[in-house]
């Protein structure tokens, strides 16, 4: 095994040991919504993110929420028009989730690529002017071109972010 492969293997082991863990900040006013509550989901804001990640994250996030809402614990409805076209008074009276995917960076060399991005969810609840729950999830992946492609790793990254955010959100909404 050459020095290049040994260095790559060591870097992969380092990344695996430092796996990203979502950070969750609950404000004093956060209360899990009652069962059967409708939670509105605003399409994610994305800033300079490849289309494969932009579309993959949001679609899979919503699918995972719906599938994970055991027995219809919550109803999830997409606010397709976003918050700008919704009456602010109505919005202030409902539970809704906003999300962002940003800080996307791809660094490629001759033989490997590292991809980084950040994602954030915020839960807004009636009676609070600020988000009552914030979930941050920075994520990074590294791969050698002999073993994967940028397209494959973008897809894997989008799936990981979507599933992790959805799972953590469901846990918080369910009071777990």
């Amino acid at each position: 095994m050459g020095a290049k492969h040994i260095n790559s293997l060591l870097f992969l082991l380092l990344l695996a040991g430092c796996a990203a863990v979502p950070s969750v900040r609950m404000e004093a006013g956060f209360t899990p919504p009652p069962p059967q509550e409708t939670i509105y989901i605003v399409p994610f804001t994305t800033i300079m993110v490849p289309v494969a990640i932009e579309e993959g994250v949001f679609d899979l996030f919503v699918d995972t929420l719906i599938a994970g809402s055991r027995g219809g614990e919550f109803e999830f409805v997409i606010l397709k028009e976003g918050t700008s076209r919704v009456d602010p008074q109505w919005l202030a009276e409902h539970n809704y989730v906003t999300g962002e995917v940003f800080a996307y960076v791809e660094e490629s060399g001759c033989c490997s690529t590292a991809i980084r991005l950040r994602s954030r969810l915020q839960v807004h609840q009636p009676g609070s002017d600020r988000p009552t729950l914030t979930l941050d999830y920075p994520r990074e992946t590294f791969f050698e071109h002999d073993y994967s492609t940028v397209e494959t790793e973008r897809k894997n990254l989008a799936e990981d972010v979507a599933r992790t955010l959805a799972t953590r959100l469901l846990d918080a909404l369910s009071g777990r």
Side-chain angles (χ1 to χ4, degrees):
M1 186 181 284
K4 174 182 89 169
H5 288 95
I6 291 173
N7 287 339
S8 294
L9 182 59
L10 289 174
F11 186 70
L12 285 172
L13 290 172
L14 176 66
L15 283 178
C18 301
V21 177
S23 70
V24 179
R25 288 188 315 274
M26 284 189 195
E27 300 297 326
F30 178 78
T31 53
Q36 309 303 312
E37 183 78 14
T38 299
I39 312 293
Y40 295 92
I41 309 295
V42 178
F44 290 175
T45 301
T46 55
I47 302 166
M48 297 181 67
V49 175
V51 173
I53 289 182
E54 180 178 335
E55 292 174 354
V57 168
F58 185 72
D59 293 345
L60 185 56
F61 171 77
V62 172
D63 291 346
T64 305
L65 284 177
I66 292 168
S69 182
R70 299 159 193 79
E73 185 177 12
F74 299 107
E75 179 183 7
F76 295 99
V77 175
I78 299 171
L79 284 178
K80 293 179 184 175
E81 65 276 353
T83 58
S84 62
R85 295 187 183 174
V86 177
D87 176 35
Q89 180 63 33
W90 181 90
L91 202 56
E93 296 170 358
H94 293 85
N95 291 293
Y96 67 98
V97 176
T98 59
E100 303 169 282
V101 180
F102 59 101
Y104 182 89
V105 177
E106 261 180 40
E107 295 175 332
S108 290
C110 70
C111 307
S112 62
T113 297
I115 303 174
R116 294 188 307 274
L117 66 77
R118 294 183 53 89
S119 56
R120 177 180 302 127
L121 284 183
Q122 294 184 317
V123 175
H124 304 264
Q125 295 186 293
S128 180
D129 295 339
R130 299 175 2 153
T132 55
L133 176 100
T134 301
L135 180 69
D136 287 306
Y137 188 44
R139 191 66 177 85
E140 183 168 352
T141 188
F142 175 85
F143 64 95
E144 290 189 27
H145 298 160
D146 290 344
Y147 302 105
S148 192
T149 65
V150 170
E151 293 78 19
T152 298
E153 294 304 319
R154 284 177 179 168
K155 182 178 181 261
N156 292 343
L157 194 59
E159 289 174 358
D160 174 65
V161 168
R163 286 193 174 106
T164 300
L165 292 176
T167 301
R168 293 298 178 117
L169 178 61
L170 284 169
D171 288 348
L173 293 175
S174 300
R176 288 179 253 140

